[in-house]
Amino acid sequence: MGEKSGIQMTFRGVRSSKFRHVFGSPARKDSCYECIKITKNAHDSHFCAVNPKFVAIVTESAGGGSFLVIPIGKTGRIEVNAGKVTGHRGPVLDIKWNPFNDNVIASCSDDCTLKLWYIPDEGLMRSNMTKPIMDLQHHRRRVGYIEWHPTAENILLSAGFDNLILVWQVSKGDVVRTIDCHPDSIYSMSFNHDGSLLATTCKDKRLRIVDPRQGIVLKEGPCHQGSKAFKAVFLGDTGRVFTSGFSKFSDRQWAVWSQFNLSSPLRIENIDSSSGVLFPYYDHDTKIVYLAGKGDGNIRYYELVDEAPWCHYLHQFLSGSPQRGLGFMPKRGLDVMRCEVFRFYKLHATKGLCEPVSMIVPRKSEQFQDDLYPDTAAPTPALTAEEWLDGKNHNPILMTLKTGAGAQTNKPVLYNLEKQYLLTADRNNEKKFRFISKENRVDYREMSNMNINVINNNAFLDMTNQNQVLESAENQIPWLEGQETNNGVTVCDIVSSGQYPVATYVTLNDSDSDSDLEIEPNGPQTLAVLKKAYKHRDGGN
């Protein structure tokens, strides 16, 4: 039966994948953001940026450029007089949140500038923000795209219509590198996993792999031959690049490339004959790439593998409402109890609505699913800007979503007028590392296993000395030192460096077993009371 005339019959079967049944779930009306004057600019950008604290949306304005910043939980109807960021003199073309500071957002505009804004935790309320914390001016023509470095702090890239990509160290406001290797307009740029390489697409229909520190082209090859814009995204640390564009017959298509050989794609496939520019969104944790086109009502998604055919079609989310742009939530902002693996924020093209769309893996269990949520990138830089510029590379610092889901950052930022650079502090992490860097002499054994009779005056003296050391350490907290005042107003109360370890990311892992130890609510509250209790007990024995 298996062989006939020397020919062996094979059965291919169905490919096994835990993401075969991923489906899109649009949010209910009360979880959407309504009455927003979304921009009608024809520029090929997302016009929406999201993090666990805020949703930012580029809006239509009569003069200059503006965008709206909404606290993530403030859903429903947005007031007409809600505060906006209105500092640009031309239309805003792109916005991106700082991956290491949830309160800092970068914007670029038709006015040839980039600006950095610090958004307070409560949002803008009803007052417009007109003054940025940093104004970056160097491009000679409008700035179309910006991209934050994935692992190095304070490194921002901007692509302008002067055909230049500038590498900024935003804490100082300086251009530290200039990438001048594109003969025409730049359509997109994407970092690889550790930020050591940059993939770019250009109007000359060529795909390039660039070293962003040296500004030289490492690999180059012909890409989609259509006349419209095409986009590229690095596929993490796999050594491959995913592109979406148009064929010379105006058919939309996608392709997978090896970063080591761009002469021909590993695979290229046509999709349809629509005219909207396709945007790829890659999730490195699940190895899924999402394709969404401007003016489309659907979102296609594909699973990537490490061998031919390299990419498998999974399914698509269908909707009757076309989209003008899409933002997406970082992995740490997802609802892991719903098995949510990705979340889009869809800007409707025909009405002023921002609608969250969750991509969900159907699971019956309500427990945390370890196979769906490997450790993901934490909001903590792995390198300083100086280390990255000196040639160091480092993979992103990872965090577990079992205890870190919904994590937000709290890093105040202030501009130092004298030294002319930004000061940033992560107060939460610095306090944590100040605590864990101290020697801990507490005995955690159960009371029944301790011989209380051995406690004597020397032990109390040692405890007293420890308290004195801790009290003196508290008095030397760096952000309470060297404060300068000007008419009673604090000029700088923020640290930029210290003597303690660089804060990575701290998560508290839940114990699988419940502890049998309980703290007495009415126990001794002071050292004096504790000494008196022990003396009384020793006297009784």
Side-chain angles (χ1 to χ4, degrees), residues 299-320:
I299 301 173
R300 299 175 175 86
Y301 36 101
Y302 303 79
E303 185 176 6
L304 300 166
V305 292
D306 293 330
E307 58 186 7
W310 307 108
C311 188
H312 294 278
Y313 173 77
L314 291 174
H315 202 48
Q316 64 177 334
F317 165 72
L318 294 173
S319 170

Side-chain angles (χ1 to χ4, degrees), residues 190-214:
S190 173
F191 277 109
N192 65 344
H193 198 52
D194 63 1
S196 60
L197 297 176
L198 187 72
T200 66
T201 58
C202 181
K203 195 175 181 180
D204 66 352
K205 304 176 184 179
R206 298 184 72 81
L207 173 65
R208 293 175 174 84
I209 305 297
V210 181
D211 185 332
R213 284 173 289 213
Q214 299 182 14

Side-chain angles (χ1 to χ4, degrees), residues 39-297:
T39 180
K40 295 181 173 61
N41 197 311
H43 180 63
D44 295 322
S45 181
H46 305 300
F47 297 129
C48 181
V50 189
N51 68 18
K53 279 188 177 182
F54 302 103
V55 179
I57 302 170
V58 179
T59 56
E60 195 75 4
S61 58
S66 63
F67 59 93
L68 192 66
V69 179
I70 311 168
I72 198 74
K74 190 178 178 180
T75 56
R77 185 183 296 271
I78 305 300
E79 298 180 4
V80 178
N81 57 350
K84 298 179 182 178
V85 179
T86 58
H88 283 287
R89 299 190 306 274
V92 176
L93 301 181
D94 197 10
I95 50 177
K96 291 283 173 62
W97 288 104
N98 187 332
F100 310 123
N101 193 335
D102 289 340
N103 295 80
V104 173
I105 188 171
S107 62
C108 63
S109 169
D110 232 2
D111 60 8
C112 307
T113 68
L114 296 84
K115 299 183 190 296
L116 264 63
W117 313 86
Y118 183 85
I119 310 297
D121 284 342
E122 65 273 10
L124 300 180
M125 309 302 285
R126 295 187 178 181
S127 58
N128 290 339
M129 179 176 287
T130 58
K131 294 183 179 180
I133 57 174
M134 186 66 74
D135 193 349
L136 308 176
Q137 302 181 20
H138 197 278
H139 283 282
R140 298 187 299 272
R141 296 186 63 186
R142 60 187 176 132
V143 187
Y145 305 98
I146 51 179
E147 195 73 36
W148 289 96
H149 195 280
T151 62
E153 189 175 25
N154 293 328
I155 294 293
L156 177 68
L157 269 65
S158 61
F161 282 78
D162 51 7
N163 306 338
L164 297 178
I165 295 178
L166 301 182
V167 182
W168 300 84
Q169 186 173 354
V170 297
S171 59
K172 298 181 179 178
D174 296 336
V175 176
V176 292
R177 299 289 188 275
T178 300
I179 303 174
D180 187 7
C181 59
H182 298 86
D184 214 326
S185 301
I186 300 164
Y187 285 150
S188 69
M189 52 185 176
S190 173
F191 277 109
N192 65 344
H193 198 52
D194 63 1
S196 60
L197 297 176
L198 187 72
T200 66
T201 58
C202 181
K203 195 175 181 180
D204 66 352
K205 304 176 184 179
R206 298 184 72 81
L207 173 65
R208 293 175 174 84
I209 305 297
V210 181
D211 185 332
R213 284 173 289 213
Q214 299 182 14
I216 59 175
V217 178
L218 303 178
K219 296 292 180 179
E220 181 179 354
C223 200
H224 303 282
Q225 297 302 303
S227 58
K228 293 185 178 181
F230 64 102
K231 307 290 182 178
V233 61
F234 246 114
L235 300 179
D237 56 2
T238 63
R240 294 188 293 276
V241 180
F242 187 94
T243 61
S244 58
F246 294 82
S247 69
K248 59 183 177 180
F249 301 110
S250 297
D251 292 327
R252 294 200 297 188
Q253 55 186 196
W254 59 262
V256 179
W257 309 76
S258 169
Q259 72 179 43
F260 307 105
N261 182 11
L262 299 182
S263 58
S264 61
L266 298 174
R267 184 183 177 189
I268 186 167
E269 290 288 338
N270 288 347
I271 301 176
D272 55 27
S273 299
S274 298
S275 59
V277 175
L278 284 169
F279 290 87
Y281 301 83
Y282 177 62
D283 179 13
H284 183 64
D285 296 337
T286 59
K287 303 295 188 298
I288 294 179
V289 64
Y290 301 85
L291 275 182
K294 271 199 169 185
D296 292 358

